[in-house]
Amino acid sequence: MRRRKMNKQNIKKEQTETAKKRHEDSIKYMYFSRYLLIRYIITIFFFTNLMWLIIDVNYHSVLGIIVSAIMTIYSGIASIEQLTKMHNRKREVPISKVYLEVQAALNLLFIILTFLPLGKYLFPFIENQSIMFFMTTLFLAGILLCVWSEYRIHQIMNDQDRYHKVIETFKKHQQ
């Protein structure tokens, strides 16, 4: 009889520990999800910069290769910082924040350079006006994504994002 009670107690204890672990894991994933769209945007920039690097290597554009390689590496580092959010609940993402600012500033500079002769050294694949306007549109879209991401980071850092409220409510009610 006593043995049966011990087993029931052990089972109940294990169930409680399992429920507690699930609750803690859910909170961890919620914190990680706060940066989900920012992570996707930085990944888009990584692959865009990588594609630009590959194209510039094909065109043997030294200036383009240098700039695109630096931005590819920098976006890769920002991506790694985003992945560390799985095990790090700190709200700050200094590398990603600065990366997005640099990317936005460069996109603005690229818009200007696209219409100048120096632009041919960075973007040798721009051969006509329609490609020039297409690239300008892409740069403007990149600026908008950077600005939106900066706004989102600001919301997270000030606990004004939707996830913060959900996390706080979920912490109070263990399931």
Side-chain angles (χ1 to χ4, degrees), residues 20-51:
K20 185 177 179 182
K21 176 73 173 134
R22 277 192 207 135
H23 185 74
E24 290 170 1
D25 285 347
S26 294
I27 291 171
K28 179 173 76 169
Y29 292 125
M30 284 182 196
Y31 275 106
F32 186 65
S33 295
R34 289 175 92 178
Y35 287 95
L36 185 65
L37 283 175
I38 295 168
R39 212 171 7 266
Y40 286 146
I41 289 169
I42 289 175
T43 302
I44 288 168
F45 283 127
F46 172 79
F47 285 109
T48 303
N49 288 323
L50 182 62
M51 182 59 75

Side-chain angles (χ1 to χ4, degrees), residues 65-77:
I65 291 170
I66 292 169
V67 176
S68 60
I70 289 170
M71 291 310 293
T72 301
I73 291 168
Y74 197 9
S75 59
I77 292 168

Side-chain angles (χ1 to χ4, degrees), residues 71 98-113 139 142-143 146-147:
M71 291 310 293
V98 173
Y99 166 73
L100 290 165
E101 292 167 357
V102 169
Q103 186 70 57
L106 278 178
N107 280 13
L108 184 59
L109 179 65
F110 293 159
I111 289 171
I112 296 166
L113 291 176
F139 294 139
I143 291 170
C146 288
V147 169

